[in-house]
């Protein structure tokens, strides 16, 4: 369906348009991805003017199934790369449709549909054909077809058959509309519920996640402890975060670690930005030694931010940078190649 | 970019501008394009459909539109899988 442009064509096009050598344009097309990759590694986000934003997005761990064997496997927490085209690019791509707007369904819509009713009235025979054509149309656009028939009657008495069919369609459409409205409101209600639960009752989510966690051998060793703290956090969480979390934690607070809470996820809940987790790591150095392993039942400190996650103050950045430095040192000592990424992140958060 | 291509910053900015223009123009012709190490881009056309618009509080016909899809290359995906995560 879509034609693919070869790299050579692309290079030629670029060299022609920019007035540069082919070698140069090949170099550009080769370095661009490298630059984007570097940026993603360092900042987790790259904006290319004229195109859009490339961003890393964390995906929670989840259980998947091997499509061939049906065996359950744990898909660990990982990043995915997303691309969001910038506004001007979107508009550029959509140029062919820029004259089109939303159309309410009560009105007649789209030229080809409008034209059809005109040839209908004059002769009797074509009507059968027109009706046949009309009956095909609802297959493509079933929802608005019936609504566009009613406007006709005042002009010309339409064939009885058609009117009858129109009526039928209307009868059929009412329950469907009702059903859609009911479903929409249900979805909306459920989503609201979820949001409330997310905020106040972390434990609900945790208990669901518990199943997932069982797949991790690491956690199994620590699991027995989880029975006790289950009761505590519910009261604790209700009192504290309810008020604080709306502003995404501006003050210090504590967090009682329950099952399935990685620093990453705690940061995501507390700050609204999972990548700020080294901040928590830094504040709890005495308790947490391994950033990949937090002990269930432990109470950790969640340091507050002076600004917000979008607008970090100088002090915030400094603290995050410090946090990343600790993480970097930890992985460096372990000889883990991840260390390099954390060093870059550390540099990034350094003010100036 | 200026560093890796050995040109001045201004030149690099111009070149980047030209590059993005070429990429955009290619995509607007509905051709898919792939850049090594980065991934594939392609344009997909969404058919017009009717949907409920909360802003209008009514069902409306939404005109067809094109969207740009990006599929990262396998190599890049794997490389960035665990970046910045504990």
């Amino acid at each position: 369906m879509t034609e693919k442009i070869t790299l050579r064509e692309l290079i030629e096009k670029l060299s022609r348009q920019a007035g540069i050598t082919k070698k140069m344009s090949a170099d550009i097309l080769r370095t661009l991805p490298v630059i984007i990759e570097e940026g993603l590694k360092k900042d987790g986000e790259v904006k290319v003017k004229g195109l859009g934003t490339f961003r890393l997005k964390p995906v929670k761990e989840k259980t998947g199934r091997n499509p061939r064997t049906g065996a359950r496997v744990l898909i660990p927490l990982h990043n995915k790369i997303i691309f969001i085209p910038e506004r001007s690019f979107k508009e550029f791509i959509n140029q062919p449709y820029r004259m089109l707007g939303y159309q309410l369904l009560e009105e007649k819509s789209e030229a080809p549909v409008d034209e059809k009713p005109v040839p209908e009235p004059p002769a009797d025979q074509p009507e059968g054909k027109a009706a046949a054509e009309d009956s095909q149309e609802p297959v493509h656009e079933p929802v608005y077809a019936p609504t566009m028939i009613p406007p006709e009657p005042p002009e010309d008495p339409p064939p009885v058959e058609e009117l009858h069919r129109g009526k039928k369609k209307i009868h059929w459409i009412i329950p469907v509309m009702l059903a859609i409205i009911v479903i929409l409101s249900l979805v909306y209600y459920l989503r609201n519920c979820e949001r409330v639960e997310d905020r106040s009752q972390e434990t609900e989510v945790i208990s669901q996640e518990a199943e997932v966690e069982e797949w991790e051998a690491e956690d199994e060793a620590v699991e027995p402890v989880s029975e006790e703290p289950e009761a505590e956090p519910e009261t604790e969480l209700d009192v504290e975060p309810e008020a604080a979390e709306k502003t995404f934690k501006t003050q210090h607070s504590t967090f009682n670690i329950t099952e399935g809470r990685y620093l990453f996820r705690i940061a995501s809940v507390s700050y609204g930005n999972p990548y700020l987790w080294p901040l928590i790591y830094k504040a709890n150095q005495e308790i947490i030694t391994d950033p990949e392993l937090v002990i269930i039942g432990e109470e950790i400190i969640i340091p507050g931010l002076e600004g917000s996650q979008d607008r970090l103050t100088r002090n915030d950045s400094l603290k995050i940078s410090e946090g990343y430095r600790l993480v970097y040192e930890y992985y460096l000592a372990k000889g883990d190649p991840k260390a390099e990424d954390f060093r870059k992140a550390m540099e990034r958060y350094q003010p100036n | 970019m200026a560093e890796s291509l050995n040109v001045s910053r201004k030149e690099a900015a111009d070149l980047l501008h030209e590059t993005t223009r070429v990429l955009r123009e290619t995509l607007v012709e509905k051709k898919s394009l792939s850049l090594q190490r980065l991934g594939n881009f392609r344009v997909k056309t969404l058919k017009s459909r009717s949907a409920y618009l909360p802003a209008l509080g009514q069902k409306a016909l939404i005109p067809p539109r094109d969207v740009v899809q990006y599929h990262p290359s396998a190599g890049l995906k794997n490389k960035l899988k665990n970046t910045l995560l504990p």
Side-chain angles (χ1 to χ4, degrees), chain A residues 3-5 17 28 33 37 41 49-50 79 83 88 92-94 97 103 105-106 264 277 342, chain B residues 19-21 24-25 31-32 36-37 45 58 60-61 64-66 70 76 79-81 83-85:
Chain A
E3 210 179 319
K4 194 166 178 173
I5 192 167
Q17 267 197 23
I28 294 173
E37 187 188 325
K41 262 195 182 155
K49 200 163 173 271
N79 284 318
F83 170 68
S88 72
F92 186 69
I93 287 286
N94 274 306
Y97 312 115
Q103 281 171 332
L105 282 175
E106 273 69 20
F264 176 84
W277 67 269
F342 291 117
Chain B
T19 313
T20 54
R21 220 181 90 193
R24 284 161 72 132
E25 278 166 12
K31 285 177 178 171
S32 69
Q36 247 189 13
R37 297 193 62 176
T45 308
Q58 231 169 336
L61 190 72
R65 67 194 167 96
D66 284 350
Y70 164 66
L76 189 65
K79 262 189 245 169
L80 297 177
K81 222 173 182 175
T83 313
L84 303 186
L85 296 181

Side-chain angles (χ1 to χ4, degrees), chain A residues 110 113 136-146, chain B residues 48 61:
Chain A
E110 280 190 13
V113 186
Q136 275 181 343
E137 233 160 48
V139 180
H140 297 294
E141 285 118 350
V143 188
Y144 71 68
Chain B
S48 69
L61 190 72

Side-chain angles (χ1 to χ4, degrees), chain A residues 142-337:
Chain A
V143 188
Y144 71 68
T147 44
M148 57 145 277
I149 291 164
E152 258 180 69
E155 288 176 43
D156 246 66
V160 187
E161 201 191 319
E162 207 182 42
L163 194 71
H164 183 63
R165 198 165 48 77
K167 265 185 187 167
K168 242 194 210 166
K169 276 280 151 68
I170 289 170
H171 281 309
W172 171 81
I173 215 83
I174 290 168
V176 171
M177 289 281 261
L178 274 173
I180 288 169
I181 291 165
V182 168
I183 288 166
L184 275 174
S185 54
L186 250 175
V187 168
Y188 185 69
Y189 175 72
L190 280 176
R191 204 177 283 172
N192 260 6
C193 269
E194 267 175 3
R195 225 172 274 158
V196 173
E197 275 172 7
D198 261 12
R199 248 183 226 157
S200 58
Q201 294 184 321
E202 302 273 2
T203 41
E204 279 255 348
V205 184
I206 292 159
S207 62
Q208 282 171 11
E209 277 164 1
E211 279 178 33
V212 174
E213 298 302 319
E214 276 171 20
W215 293 85
E216 284 250 309
E218 266 183 14
D219 282 16
E220 267 178 325
V222 209
E223 242 172 84
V225 200
S226 69
E227 302 299 314
E228 295 167 31
E230 280 279 272
E232 280 176 49
E234 203 160 353
T235 49
E236 241 215 48
L237 284 171
D238 273 351
V239 184
E240 282 184 46
E242 272 264 59
E245 247 169 41
K246 272 169 202 156
T247 51
F248 275 132
K249 291 254 159 77
T250 44
Q251 310 135 3
H252 276 267
S253 55
T254 55
F255 192 95
N256 213 330
I257 297 177
T258 48
E259 224 179 308
R261 299 271 110 176
Y262 291 107
L263 287 183
F264 176 84
R265 219 175 280 163
I266 300 170
S268 178
V269 172
S270 309
Y271 302 126
N273 181 353
Y275 294 115
L276 299 186
W277 67 269
L279 206 55
I280 304 174
Y281 179 61
K282 180 178 170 275
N284 298 281
Q285 272 178 78
E286 295 85 26
I287 310 167
I288 307 168
T289 45
D290 184 346
E292 286 175 39
L293 196 73
V294 285
I295 295 156
I296 292 167
E298 199 90 64
E299 192 169 286
I300 56 169
I301 303 158
I302 311 284
L305 289 174
E306 285 177 16
S308 67
Q309 58 119 342
D310 312 308
R311 256 189 227 171
L312 297 167
T313 64
R314 215 188 130 84
N315 267 341
D316 288 337
S317 304
L318 201 68
K319 277 189 214 155
I320 297 164
S321 176
E322 276 289 296
Y324 268 118
R325 190 177 58 81
L326 291 171
V327 180
Y328 160 63
E329 280 164 3
Y330 173 82
Y331 280 105
L332 193 70
K334 232 172 116 185
D336 194 313

Side-chain angles (χ1 to χ4, degrees), chain B residues 10-66:
Chain B
K10 198 189 162 299
E11 276 177 296
D14 286 346
L15 288 175
L16 183 64
H17 178 73
E18 288 298 331
T19 313
T20 54
R21 220 181 90 193
V22 169
L23 297 183
R24 284 161 72 132
E25 278 166 12
T26 309
L27 284 170
V28 97
E29 286 163 22
K30 302 214 173 160
K31 285 177 178 171
S32 69
L33 74 89
S34 81
L35 289 180
Q36 247 189 13
R37 297 193 62 176
L38 189 60
N40 299 329
F41 293 89
R42 67 156 171 238
V43 172
K44 194 181 172 193
T45 308
L46 298 183
K47 277 189 244 164
S48 69
R49 64 190 203 280
S50 57
Y52 178 79
L53 292 184
L56 298 170
Q58 231 169 336
K59 278 200 119 195
L61 190 72
I62 296 170
R65 67 194 167 96
D66 284 350

Side-chain angles (χ1 to χ4, degrees), chain A residues 53-72:
Chain A
T53 312
F54 293 89
R55 189 179 293 157
L56 289 184
K57 196 180 170 197
V59 182
K60 275 191 212 164
E61 72 178 1
K62 57 189 173 189
T63 46
R65 274 181 192 278
N66 183 332
R68 203 172 296 164
T69 61
R72 290 179 82 183

Side-chain angles (χ1 to χ4, degrees), chain A residues 109-125:
Chain A
S109 43
E110 280 190 13
V113 186
D114 278 354
E115 280 162 21
K116 240 166 220 163
V118 184
E120 264 178 70
D124 272 335
Q125 279 219 322

